[in-house]
Amino acid sequence: MNSLRLVRTTHPGVSDVDVRMMERAIHLARQAALNGEIPIAAVVYRGDEIIAEAANNREAQADPTGHAEIVAIREAGKRLGEWRLSDCSLAVTLEPCPMCAGAIVNARVGRLLYGATDPKAGACETLYSIPMDVRLNHRVEMHGGILAPRCVELLRSFFRERRAAQKAAKELKKKSA
């Protein structure tokens, strides 16, 4: 963690530690992209201590639940020896989907910080507001848009490269037919 730099934040309620944890998540997401995974990563932390961290591993594990948030929450629970993470924060590069938002509520995560919003599956503020739903037994303090431009560009470049590779493969297949 010594390689993470101090960054001043303009988000109320978001500390320099929170920003550093998001930077760590971005680093992990880049690594995931190199492994062919969609570049999304999550870090569970308490204070400035990282409890667990993970990137998407759906492809590598052939696991539809292999979202970064789920993997990191599961590991945090194991490491702490309890499923309640109420004194922990979770930084994730993309707004969680309904499955992950539900896991965040069920794990009683204290704070959620995310980078990019997700117009297709965002379940925290964009399409749904699961972590703040008063019908549920836990509400999560949320802060969105943390280092959003970096998170968005990471996803955009990944999918741009993926589309280009698919197009090239399709054209090669045409030529060899």
PDB file of all heavy atoms in Angstrom, residues 3 14 25 34 37 43 53 56 58 68-69 73 87 94 97 123 127 140-142 151 157 162 170 177:
ATOM      1  N   SER A   3       2.849   2.256  -2.182  1.00  0.00           N
ATOM      2  CA  SER A   3       2.966   2.846  -3.509  1.00  0.00           C
ATOM      3  C   SER A   3       1.764   3.726  -3.869  1.00  0.00           C
ATOM      4  O   SER A   3       1.810   4.435  -4.861  1.00  0.00           O
ATOM      5  CB  SER A   3       3.124   1.754  -4.560  1.00  0.00           C
ATOM      6  OG  SER A   3       1.954   0.983  -4.619  1.00  0.00           O
ATOM      7  N   VAL A  14     -15.832  11.806   1.779  1.00  0.00           N
ATOM      8  CA  VAL A  14     -14.867  10.876   1.191  1.00  0.00           C
ATOM      9  C   VAL A  14     -13.470  11.336   1.579  1.00  0.00           C
ATOM     10  O   VAL A  14     -13.088  12.466   1.319  1.00  0.00           O
ATOM     11  CB  VAL A  14     -15.019  10.818  -0.344  1.00  0.00           C
ATOM     12  CG1 VAL A  14     -13.957   9.925  -0.958  1.00  0.00           C
ATOM     13  CG2 VAL A  14     -16.416  10.337  -0.713  1.00  0.00           C
ATOM     14  N   ALA A  25      -8.347  -0.340  -6.256  1.00  0.00           N
ATOM     15  CA  ALA A  25      -9.346  -1.080  -7.033  1.00  0.00           C
ATOM     16  C   ALA A  25      -9.105  -0.893  -8.534  1.00  0.00           C
ATOM     17  O   ALA A  25      -9.201  -1.857  -9.309  1.00  0.00           O
ATOM     18  CB  ALA A  25     -10.755  -0.641  -6.643  1.00  0.00           C
ATOM     19  N   LEU A  34      -6.118  -7.562 -18.154  1.00  0.00           N
ATOM     20  CA  LEU A  34      -5.008  -8.294 -18.768  1.00  0.00           C
ATOM     21  C   LEU A  34      -5.265  -9.800 -18.779  1.00  0.00           C
ATOM     22  O   LEU A  34      -4.727 -10.523 -19.617  1.00  0.00           O
ATOM     23  CB  LEU A  34      -3.693  -7.999 -18.038  1.00  0.00           C
ATOM     24  CG  LEU A  34      -3.192  -6.552 -18.128  1.00  0.00           C
ATOM     25  CD1 LEU A  34      -1.965  -6.363 -17.241  1.00  0.00           C
ATOM     26  CD2 LEU A  34      -2.898  -6.172 -19.569  1.00  0.00           C
ATOM     27  N   GLU A  37     -10.698 -10.580 -18.108  1.00  0.00           N
ATOM     28  CA  GLU A  37     -11.906 -10.336 -17.310  1.00  0.00           C
ATOM     29  C   GLU A  37     -12.371  -8.899 -17.526  1.00  0.00           C
ATOM     30  O   GLU A  37     -11.542  -8.016 -17.784  1.00  0.00           O
ATOM     31  CB  GLU A  37     -11.628 -10.538 -15.821  1.00  0.00           C
ATOM     32  CG  GLU A  37     -11.195 -11.925 -15.433  1.00  0.00           C
ATOM     33  CD  GLU A  37     -12.324 -12.948 -15.377  1.00  0.00           C
ATOM     34  OE1 GLU A  37     -13.514 -12.573 -15.501  1.00  0.00           O
ATOM     35  OE2 GLU A  37     -12.005 -14.137 -15.216  1.00  0.00           O
ATOM     36  N   VAL A  43     -12.374  -3.396  -3.175  1.00  0.00           N
ATOM     37  CA  VAL A  43     -11.508  -3.470  -1.996  1.00  0.00           C
ATOM     38  C   VAL A  43     -12.373  -3.265  -0.761  1.00  0.00           C
ATOM     39  O   VAL A  43     -13.101  -2.268  -0.669  1.00  0.00           O
ATOM     40  CB  VAL A  43     -10.404  -2.379  -2.043  1.00  0.00           C
ATOM     41  CG1 VAL A  43      -9.549  -2.428  -0.791  1.00  0.00           C
ATOM     42  CG2 VAL A  43      -9.554  -2.525  -3.296  1.00  0.00           C
ATOM     43  N   GLU A  53      -9.564  -7.972  -1.114  1.00  0.00           N
ATOM     44  CA  GLU A  53      -9.644  -7.309  -2.409  1.00  0.00           C
ATOM     45  C   GLU A  53      -9.823  -8.369  -3.475  1.00  0.00           C
ATOM     46  O   GLU A  53      -9.372  -9.508  -3.303  1.00  0.00           O
ATOM     47  CB  GLU A  53      -8.408  -6.453  -2.676  1.00  0.00           C
ATOM     48  CG  GLU A  53      -7.112  -7.209  -2.626  1.00  0.00           C
ATOM     49  CD  GLU A  53      -5.890  -6.307  -2.755  1.00  0.00           C
ATOM     50  OE1 GLU A  53      -5.975  -5.102  -2.499  1.00  0.00           O
ATOM     51  OE2 GLU A  53      -4.833  -6.844  -3.133  1.00  0.00           O
ATOM     52  N   ASN A  56     -13.098  -9.073 -10.846  1.00  0.00           N
ATOM     53  CA  ASN A  56     -13.992 -10.036 -11.472  1.00  0.00           C
ATOM     54  C   ASN A  56     -13.215 -11.294 -11.822  1.00  0.00           C
ATOM     55  O   ASN A  56     -12.079 -11.212 -12.289  1.00  0.00           O
ATOM     56  CB  ASN A  56     -14.587  -9.456 -12.760  1.00  0.00           C
ATOM     57  CG  ASN A  56     -15.816  -8.615 -12.502  1.00  0.00           C
ATOM     58  OD1 ASN A  56     -16.140  -8.282 -11.381  1.00  0.00           O
ATOM     59  ND2 ASN A  56     -16.508  -8.281 -13.576  1.00  0.00           N
ATOM     60  N   ARG A  58     -15.231 -14.112 -13.246  1.00  0.00           N
ATOM     61  CA  ARG A  58     -16.276 -14.949 -13.856  1.00  0.00           C
ATOM     62  C   ARG A  58     -15.728 -15.855 -14.943  1.00  0.00           C
ATOM     63  O   ARG A  58     -16.102 -17.018 -15.030  1.00  0.00           O
ATOM     64  CB  ARG A  58     -17.404 -14.081 -14.433  1.00  0.00           C
ATOM     65  CG  ARG A  58     -18.159 -13.348 -13.362  1.00  0.00           C
ATOM     66  CD  ARG A  58     -19.369 -12.615 -13.827  1.00  0.00           C
ATOM     67  NE  ARG A  58     -19.310 -12.079 -15.177  1.00  0.00           N
ATOM     68  CZ  ARG A  58     -20.346 -11.558 -15.803  1.00  0.00           C
ATOM     69  NH1 ARG A  58     -21.515 -11.494 -15.216  1.00  0.00           N
ATOM     70  NH2 ARG A  58     -20.225 -11.077 -17.015  1.00  0.00           N
ATOM     71  N   ALA A  68     -16.540  -8.892  -8.612  1.00  0.00           N
ATOM     72  CA  ALA A  68     -15.515  -8.433  -7.669  1.00  0.00           C
ATOM     73  C   ALA A  68     -16.073  -8.203  -6.269  1.00  0.00           C
ATOM     74  O   ALA A  68     -15.450  -8.595  -5.267  1.00  0.00           O
ATOM     75  CB  ALA A  68     -14.869  -7.149  -8.196  1.00  0.00           C
ATOM     76  N   GLU A  69     -17.245  -7.579  -6.185  1.00  0.00           N
ATOM     77  CA  GLU A  69     -17.832  -7.266  -4.877  1.00  0.00           C
ATOM     78  C   GLU A  69     -18.136  -8.535  -4.087  1.00  0.00           C
ATOM     79  O   GLU A  69     -17.845  -8.630  -2.892  1.00  0.00           O
ATOM     80  CB  GLU A  69     -19.140  -6.471  -5.027  1.00  0.00           C
ATOM     81  CG  GLU A  69     -19.004  -5.175  -5.773  1.00  0.00           C
ATOM     82  CD  GLU A  69     -19.327  -5.311  -7.261  1.00  0.00           C
ATOM     83  OE1 GLU A  69     -18.748  -6.193  -7.933  1.00  0.00           O
ATOM     84  OE2 GLU A  69     -20.151  -4.534  -7.752  1.00  0.00           O
ATOM     85  N   ILE A  73     -16.297  -9.480  -0.641  1.00  0.00           N
ATOM     86  CA  ILE A  73     -17.127  -9.594   0.573  1.00  0.00           C
ATOM     87  C   ILE A  73     -16.957 -10.978   1.194  1.00  0.00           C
ATOM     88  O   ILE A  73     -16.808 -11.119   2.410  1.00  0.00           O
ATOM     89  CB  ILE A  73     -18.606  -9.290   0.252  1.00  0.00           C
ATOM     90  CG1 ILE A  73     -18.794  -7.787   0.011  1.00  0.00           C
ATOM     91  CG2 ILE A  73     -19.532  -9.785   1.359  1.00  0.00           C
ATOM     92  CD1 ILE A  73     -20.149  -7.417  -0.561  1.00  0.00           C
ATOM     93  N   ASP A  87     -18.454  -2.258  10.064  1.00  0.00           N
ATOM     94  CA  ASP A  87     -17.391  -1.286  10.300  1.00  0.00           C
ATOM     95  C   ASP A  87     -16.410  -1.219   9.129  1.00  0.00           C
ATOM     96  O   ASP A  87     -15.325  -0.661   9.254  1.00  0.00           O
ATOM     97  CB  ASP A  87     -16.663  -1.576  11.610  1.00  0.00           C
ATOM     98  CG  ASP A  87     -16.002  -2.950  11.639  1.00  0.00           C
ATOM     99  OD1 ASP A  87     -16.319  -3.790  10.763  1.00  0.00           O
ATOM    100  OD2 ASP A  87     -15.174  -3.199  12.530  1.00  0.00           O
ATOM    101  N   LEU A  94     -17.098   0.078 -10.422  1.00  0.00           N
ATOM    102  CA  LEU A  94     -18.365   0.252 -11.136  1.00  0.00           C
ATOM    103  C   LEU A  94     -19.519   0.101 -10.165  1.00  0.00           C
ATOM    104  O   LEU A  94     -19.483  -0.763  -9.278  1.00  0.00           O
ATOM    105  CB  LEU A  94     -18.495  -0.792 -12.256  1.00  0.00           C
ATOM    106  CG  LEU A  94     -19.745  -0.724 -13.124  1.00  0.00           C
ATOM    107  CD1 LEU A  94     -19.755   0.548 -13.975  1.00  0.00           C
ATOM    108  CD2 LEU A  94     -19.837  -1.953 -14.026  1.00  0.00           C
ATOM    109  N   CYS A  97     -24.303  -4.118  -9.346  1.00  0.00           N
ATOM    110  CA  CYS A  97     -25.527  -4.643  -9.960  1.00  0.00           C
ATOM    111  C   CYS A  97     -26.493  -5.070  -8.849  1.00  0.00           C
ATOM    112  O   CYS A  97     -26.134  -5.035  -7.662  1.00  0.00           O
ATOM    113  CB  CYS A  97     -25.166  -5.829 -10.847  1.00  0.00           C
ATOM    114  SG  CYS A  97     -24.659  -7.306  -9.918  1.00  0.00           S
ATOM    115  N   ALA A 123     -27.525  -0.723  -9.532  1.00  0.00           N
ATOM    116  CA  ALA A 123     -28.575  -0.968  -8.550  1.00  0.00           C
ATOM    117  C   ALA A 123     -28.398  -0.176  -7.266  1.00  0.00           C
ATOM    118  O   ALA A 123     -28.998  -0.484  -6.249  1.00  0.00           O
ATOM    119  CB  ALA A 123     -28.642  -2.461  -8.232  1.00  0.00           C
ATOM    120  N   LEU A 127     -30.415   2.681 -11.696  1.00  0.00           N
ATOM    121  CA  LEU A 127     -31.693   2.022 -11.993  1.00  0.00           C
ATOM    122  C   LEU A 127     -32.491   1.717 -10.733  1.00  0.00           C
ATOM    123  O   LEU A 127     -33.715   1.797 -10.742  1.00  0.00           O
ATOM    124  CB  LEU A 127     -31.457   0.714 -12.762  1.00  0.00           C
ATOM    125  CG  LEU A 127     -30.769   0.831 -14.114  1.00  0.00           C
ATOM    126  CD1 LEU A 127     -30.564  -0.544 -14.729  1.00  0.00           C
ATOM    127  CD2 LEU A 127     -31.574   1.722 -15.051  1.00  0.00           C
ATOM    128  N   VAL A 140     -26.942   1.576   3.528  1.00  0.00           N
ATOM    129  CA  VAL A 140     -25.505   1.744   3.355  1.00  0.00           C
ATOM    130  C   VAL A 140     -25.209   3.196   2.986  1.00  0.00           C
ATOM    131  O   VAL A 140     -25.851   3.747   2.097  1.00  0.00           O
ATOM    132  CB  VAL A 140     -24.992   0.811   2.221  1.00  0.00           C
ATOM    133  CG1 VAL A 140     -23.498   0.971   2.022  1.00  0.00           C
ATOM    134  CG2 VAL A 140     -25.351  -0.636   2.511  1.00  0.00           C
ATOM    135  N   GLU A 141     -24.249   3.789   3.653  1.00  0.00           N
ATOM    136  CA  GLU A 141     -23.779   5.116   3.254  1.00  0.00           C
ATOM    137  C   GLU A 141     -23.090   4.968   1.902  1.00  0.00           C
ATOM    138  O   GLU A 141     -22.220   4.111   1.739  1.00  0.00           O
ATOM    139  CB  GLU A 141     -22.793   5.645   4.295  1.00  0.00           C
ATOM    140  CG  GLU A 141     -22.206   6.994   3.961  1.00  0.00           C
ATOM    141  CD  GLU A 141     -21.124   7.424   4.941  1.00  0.00           C
ATOM    142  OE1 GLU A 141     -21.137   6.986   6.108  1.00  0.00           O
ATOM    143  OE2 GLU A 141     -20.244   8.200   4.512  1.00  0.00           O
ATOM    144  N   MET A 142     -23.491   5.782   0.921  1.00  0.00           N
ATOM    145  CA  MET A 142     -22.940   5.643  -0.430  1.00  0.00           C
ATOM    146  C   MET A 142     -22.327   6.932  -0.935  1.00  0.00           C
ATOM    147  O   MET A 142     -22.816   8.019  -0.647  1.00  0.00           O
ATOM    148  CB  MET A 142     -24.046   5.248  -1.412  1.00  0.00           C
ATOM    149  CG  MET A 142     -24.527   3.847  -1.283  1.00  0.00           C
ATOM    150  SD  MET A 142     -25.606   3.393  -2.648  1.00  0.00           S
ATOM    151  CE  MET A 142     -26.821   4.682  -2.639  1.00  0.00           C
ATOM    152  N   CYS A 151     -12.277   5.255 -14.051  1.00  0.00           N
ATOM    153  CA  CYS A 151     -13.028   4.000 -14.072  1.00  0.00           C
ATOM    154  C   CYS A 151     -13.761   3.828 -15.401  1.00  0.00           C
ATOM    155  O   CYS A 151     -13.767   2.732 -15.976  1.00  0.00           O
ATOM    156  CB  CYS A 151     -14.018   3.958 -12.911  1.00  0.00           C
ATOM    157  SG  CYS A 151     -13.250   3.958 -11.279  1.00  0.00           S
ATOM    158  N   SER A 157     -12.078   1.432 -22.796  1.00  0.00           N
ATOM    159  CA  SER A 157     -10.940   0.925 -23.576  1.00  0.00           C
ATOM    160  C   SER A 157     -10.963  -0.595 -23.640  1.00  0.00           C
ATOM    161  O   SER A 157     -10.637  -1.178 -24.680  1.00  0.00           O
ATOM    162  CB  SER A 157      -9.615   1.454 -23.031  1.00  0.00           C
ATOM    163  OG  SER A 157      -9.390   1.006 -21.723  1.00  0.00           O
ATOM    164  N   ARG A 162     -11.907  -5.180 -27.151  1.00  0.00           N
ATOM    165  CA  ARG A 162     -12.613  -6.447 -27.359  1.00  0.00           C
ATOM    166  C   ARG A 162     -13.380  -6.426 -28.687  1.00  0.00           C
ATOM    167  O   ARG A 162     -13.346  -7.399 -29.443  1.00  0.00           O
ATOM    168  CB  ARG A 162     -13.566  -6.719 -26.194  1.00  0.00           C
ATOM    169  CG  ARG A 162     -14.317  -8.041 -26.354  1.00  0.00           C
ATOM    170  CD  ARG A 162     -15.301  -8.242 -25.243  1.00  0.00           C
ATOM    171  NE  ARG A 162     -14.685  -9.052 -24.215  1.00  0.00           N
ATOM    172  CZ  ARG A 162     -15.332  -9.484 -23.137  1.00  0.00           C
ATOM    173  NH1 ARG A 162     -16.584  -9.152 -22.927  1.00  0.00           N
ATOM    174  NH2 ARG A 162     -14.724 -10.239 -22.265  1.00  0.00           N
ATOM    175  N   LYS A 170     -13.501 -11.825 -37.192  1.00  0.00           N
ATOM    176  CA  LYS A 170     -14.587 -12.013 -38.154  1.00  0.00           C
ATOM    177  C   LYS A 170     -14.071 -11.783 -39.588  1.00  0.00           C
ATOM    178  O   LYS A 170     -14.387 -12.567 -40.503  1.00  0.00           O
ATOM    179  CB  LYS A 170     -15.726 -11.059 -37.837  1.00  0.00           C
ATOM    180  CG  LYS A 170     -16.992 -11.289 -38.613  1.00  0.00           C
ATOM    181  CD  LYS A 170     -18.086 -10.353 -38.129  1.00  0.00           C
ATOM    182  CE  LYS A 170     -19.373 -10.595 -38.860  1.00  0.00           C
ATOM    183  NZ  LYS A 170     -20.427  -9.671 -38.414  1.00  0.00           N
ATOM    184  N   ALA A 177     -12.485 -18.140 -45.771  1.00  0.00           N
ATOM    185  CA  ALA A 177     -13.627 -18.956 -46.219  1.00  0.00           C
ATOM    186  C   ALA A 177     -13.702 -19.074 -47.719  1.00  0.00           C
ATOM    187  O   ALA A 177     -13.136 -18.464 -48.507  1.00  0.00           O
ATOM    188  CB  ALA A 177     -14.939 -18.371 -45.696  1.00  0.00           C
TER     189      ALA A 177
END
